[in-house]
Amino acid sequence: MKSGTLKMESSDQQTIDIHYERVGIFKRISAALFDLFVSLVVGLLILILTFYLVPNFSFIQHDYMVRETVSLRSGLYVKDGDDLVRYTDYLDGESLTVDEKSLKLDEVLFYFYSDDDFVLDGLNKYLQFKNDALSSDGKNMFDIYHNRALNNDDYDDEYYNFYLDIYDSALSHLANDLEYSLASREIMLTYILAIVITFLIPLFIFYCIIPLFFKRTRQTFGMKLVKISLINVDGFAVKTGKYVGRMFFFYLIIIVLSIFAFLLPLMLNIGFLVISKSHQTFVDYVFNTYSVDTSNDKIFFDYDEYLSEEKKRQMIRIEDKNYQPAIKK
């Protein structure tokens, strides 16, 4: 490395020196970002397929059916063809006056709040909403019989907005219904899990599996593009056993745990890269590995291969007739 030498020892404790160029932080980040970009692109393609397949799962179809059944029973939703739509959206598609929409909403809300399965003592609560309702000029909007008290057309929008507010409150009660909430939660968790797995798979492939095939350099595609290699502390290639341990540590602690720990492991890993003199990440520090620039250097599997290469170079020098050793005068 530029700041020093990696020393490798043979079986007879002979020490040799090999120099590797240190990799700049920008170059390492560029390689990581390239791998991240490729992973995200592949992840998006898998996600499209996932969103196509998930709705066909039998348990998801059952959850959708349960949620639809409860929604229709509440009266807050209606079927418009094959689609389940909010009753307010359905009214917007009808040729009705604002006052007519208010009357229909009043019927639906009266029906909903009358069902104690959705709101305990709901009818009294709904009538209390009417008792407390005041217009913009401070007048009671309903009489003692809970009918509209202000019949001037200028108040039509105020009545409609009143019912819309109560409708939104009714939707929150529906969301708290046990059957509805359990079905919704299972659907939501399934999609969240599918999204997480969808993106974790390509990250595992491009950051962990690909380097298994490059036994000499342990490179990802991004590292290969910018000619960065991973080496052991002794200067030789990282053995498969050690790399597998490093791979799972990196994937489970740095990638997976970061999802649930607000990216703290990832920040720690990058922090080590920036702060350490040898530019090791936290994972490199734990497993005693280094990333080096191999634009002009070769990584050796072991000491025996290194000796073999050295002998070949010596033979080339001897056989080269133009080779002239330096003569000191």
Side-chain angles (χ1 to χ4, degrees):
M1 290 188 175
K2 287 182 179 179
S3 62
T5 303
L6 288 177
K7 295 183 180 296
M8 303 178 290
E9 295 186 355
S10 66
S11 57
D12 59 357
Q13 301 303 312
Q14 181 182 357
T15 300
I16 59 176
D17 293 340
I18 293 182
H19 294 267
Y20 289 110
E21 292 292 324
R22 176 182 291 172
V23 182
I25 294 176
F26 177 77
K27 199 171 185 180
R28 293 191 66 177
I29 292 177
S30 298
L33 289 178
F34 178 83
D35 291 318
L36 179 61
F37 173 76
V38 175
S39 299
L40 290 177
V41 171
V42 174
L44 286 173
L45 295 177
I46 299 176
L47 186 63
I48 294 173
L49 178 63
T50 300
F51 277 4
Y52 174 78
L53 294 176
V54 169
N56 296 315
F57 295 160
S58 58
F59 71 95
I60 289 294
Q61 290 179 339
H62 175 264
D63 288 331
Y64 274 120
M65 183 182 68
V66 169
R67 196 167 68 171
E68 180 177 301
T69 300
V70 177
S71 297
L72 292 174
R73 183 166 60 85
S74 72
L76 301 178
Y77 287 83
V78 295
K79 289 284 284 187
D80 186 9
D82 293 330
D83 298 325
L84 185 69
V85 299
R86 290 185 177 188
Y87 191 72
T88 52
D89 295 336
Y90 171 76
L91 289 179
D92 289 339
E94 298 291 304
S95 300
L96 301 172
T97 64
V98 174
D99 186 46
E100 289 172 333
K101 290 180 180 180
S102 295
L103 291 174
K104 288 187 173 294
L105 267 182
D106 185 24
E107 293 175 1
V108 166
L109 292 171
F110 185 88
Y111 171 81
F112 176 80
Y113 279 98
S114 297
D115 191 339
D116 286 345
D117 288 340
F118 292 114
V119 185
L120 188 62
D121 197 25
L123 183 57
N124 286 331
K125 292 179 180 179
Y126 180 57
L127 296 179
Q128 189 60 46
F129 285 144
K130 289 189 171 185
N131 289 336
D132 297 337
L134 297 175
S135 65
S136 57
D137 53 6
K139 297 178 181 179
N140 291 320
M141 296 179 66
F142 296 91
D143 58 25
I144 59 174
Y145 302 106
H146 306 105
N147 296 318
R148 178 170 173 167
L150 307 174
N151 295 313
N152 191 311
D153 292 346
D154 295 338
Y155 292 100
D156 285 356
D157 288 335
E158 290 196 45
Y159 276 98
Y160 187 58
N161 289 329
F162 164 79
Y163 287 118
L164 286 178
D165 289 340
I166 304 303
Y167 180 84
D168 289 338
S169 179
L171 287 177
S172 65
H173 286 295
L174 173 63
N176 290 326
D177 177 80
L178 183 59
E179 284 186 281
Y180 186 95
S181 62
L182 287 177
S184 297
R185 187 179 298 114
E186 187 164 302
I187 292 171
M188 180 184 68
L189 290 177
T190 300
Y191 274 100
I192 290 176
L193 184 61
I195 292 172
V196 171
I197 293 176
T198 292
F199 285 101
L200 284 179
I201 289 175
L203 286 173
F204 184 70
I205 292 173
F206 287 103
Y207 280 95
C208 300
I209 298 299
I210 296 299
L212 280 172
F213 296 96
F214 298 110
K215 295 183 179 180
R216 186 180 297 275
T217 57
R218 300 303 180 190
Q219 294 169 307
T220 64
F221 286 145
M223 292 170 66
K224 194 169 186 63
L225 184 66
V226 297
K227 298 182 179 179
I228 297 175
S229 299
L230 185 70
I231 62 172
N232 194 29
V233 65
D234 59 9
F236 297 123
V238 180
K239 302 299 183 185
T240 300
K242 184 173 184 176
Y243 176 76
V244 170
R246 181 186 185 278
M247 174 186 76
F248 280 108
F249 182 88
F250 171 75
Y251 186 72
L252 296 176
I253 302 301
I254 304 302
I255 295 181
V256 177
L257 187 59
S258 289
I259 296 175
F260 305 99
F262 307 102
L263 300 180
L264 290 178
L266 181 61
M267 292 169 62
L268 174 65
N269 201 49
I270 297 174
F272 261 77
L273 172 64
V274 175
I275 295 173
S276 66
K277 293 181 179 180
S278 57
H279 293 326
Q280 288 177 292
T281 62
F282 178 67
V283 178
D284 287 330
Y285 177 79
V286 171
F287 286 87
N288 221 357
T289 55
Y290 294 84
S291 289
V292 295
D293 190 325
T294 49
S295 302
N296 303 309
D297 297 310
K298 178 181 179 180
I299 304 297
F300 299 101
F301 279 119
D302 49 34
Y303 182 72
D304 291 335
E305 185 186 31
Y306 172 80
L307 289 180
S308 177
E309 290 290 328
E310 282 297 301
K311 288 179 181 179
K312 288 180 182 179
R313 281 197 287 267
Q314 291 296 330
M315 290 299 296
I316 291 174
R317 287 181 179 180
I318 293 172
E319 295 175 358
D320 187 355
K321 296 179 180 180
N322 296 321
Y323 175 72
Q324 296 291 333
I327 300 175
K328 294 182 180 180
K329 294 182 179 181

